[in-house]
Amino acid sequence: MSAVVLSRDFDPALLQHHARELATAGRFLHGQGWVPATSGNFSARLSADYAAITASGRHKGRLTEQDIMVVDRAGRALDSARRPSAETLLHTTLYCRYPEVGAVLHTHSVNATLLSRRCGSELRLEGYELLKAFRGVETHDTCVIVPVFDNDQDIPRLAAQVEHYLDGHDEVPGYLIRGHGLYTWGRDVTEALRHLEAFEFLFQCELHQARG
Ligand SMILES: [Zn+2]
């Protein structure tokens, strides 16, 4: 007789797999200078109800499996020994909204920080070949609009603002928080990393262009 798997269950082997993936991603992203001084946070979906996420305050270039913990859909930790990232709710709202999203990455790069301070409420990325790195984009001849939200230490309020925007713009591959950083996501960690690298390249192009 096969075991009944409840939707709230997750496979411990998947947690271990994601913990390794996120630690590897952390080394790469820290090497790029995109997650300085313990900033940023990463997560990967474990099931419909749970996600693995970086614990608060960990150095992202030196993550171990012990730095990855489990939270539920509301962002509550399963274990009381560690605190999840302060911005956990910004991850879990994406998992709740998009069943196909398997990973969320948040970084604090110089370019995302600078560009978000120069933009209004949206950044328009237009005409770049690299836009094709985003899921569903097949030509450079398009415009990807990235919303820019004002920074807010009240994460539930910020999450509600993001939700409200996404209600009308489901196709967005990421968003900026002003003076703070980038959130992007994908079907898995690999796709989220591709989106992140594409954003960083495009942010750099925009900044160079603005400087003339
Ligand atoms: Zn942050």
Side-chain angles (χ1 to χ4, degrees):
M1 194 176 79
S2 62
V4 176
V5 179
L6 301 174
S7 67
R8 63 186 171 78
D9 284 346
F10 60 85
D11 180 355
L14 185 60
L15 172 59
Q16 196 177 40
H17 170 75
H18 282 329
R20 287 183 186 144
E21 260 189 316
L22 295 177
T24 302
R27 282 192 290 279
F28 169 70
L29 296 173
H30 184 262
Q32 299 292 318
W34 298 343
V35 282
T38 76
S39 66
N41 35 71
F42 318 138
S43 68
R45 184 192 289 279
L46 293 169
S47 70
D49 297 317
Y50 293 106
I53 191 163
T54 43
S56 180
R58 306 303 158 100
H59 188 286
K60 303 307 178 298
R62 298 196 286 267
L63 290 174
T64 67
E65 287 177 41
Q66 285 68 48
D67 296 324
I68 309 297
M69 56 185 299
V70 181
V71 291
D72 68 10
R73 290 166 70 93
R76 291 175 301 227
L78 250 64
D79 94 59
S80 56
R82 292 169 293 180
R83 215 158 31 90
S85 158
E87 295 174 33
T88 296
L89 200 57
L90 297 174
H91 291 248
T92 56
T93 52
L94 290 165
Y95 292 122
C96 293
R97 167 176 285 270
Y98 302 122
E100 72 277 15
V101 166
V104 179
L105 299 174
H106 169 53
T107 48
H108 288 207
S109 72
V110 170
N111 287 342
T113 303
L114 282 178
L115 196 56
S116 65
R117 287 164 64 97
R118 300 176 69 119
C119 293
S121 60
E122 289 180 336
L123 167 69
R124 294 172 65 86
L125 298 170
E126 235 173 325
Y128 292 107
E129 177 68 12
L130 205 65
L131 290 172
K132 287 159 61 181
F134 296 121
R135 169 167 284 276
V137 176
E138 288 177 356
T139 172
H140 68 282
D141 191 13
T142 188
C143 175
V144 169
I145 293 176
V146 185
V148 184
F149 301 101
D150 286 334
N151 200 12
D152 195 339
Q153 301 304 319
D154 184 331
I155 298 300
R157 186 166 61 196
L158 181 54
Q161 239 191 300
V162 172
E163 285 267 67
H164 179 70
Y165 181 92
L166 294 176
D167 281 344
H169 305 81
D170 245 4
E171 73 293 350
V172 170
Y175 62 83
L176 284 164
I177 307 175
R178 202 178 313 285
H180 178 160
L182 170 72
Y183 268 85
T184 188
W185 49 89
R187 288 182 178 246
D188 50 30
V189 174
T190 302
E191 187 173 86
L193 279 169
R194 192 181 79 226
H195 289 171
L196 184 49
E197 281 197 88
F199 269 127
E200 288 295 341
F201 172 88
L202 296 165
F203 293 163
Q204 190 151 4
C205 289
E206 288 287 305
L207 282 168
H208 279 309
Q209 193 167 285
R211 287 183 195 125

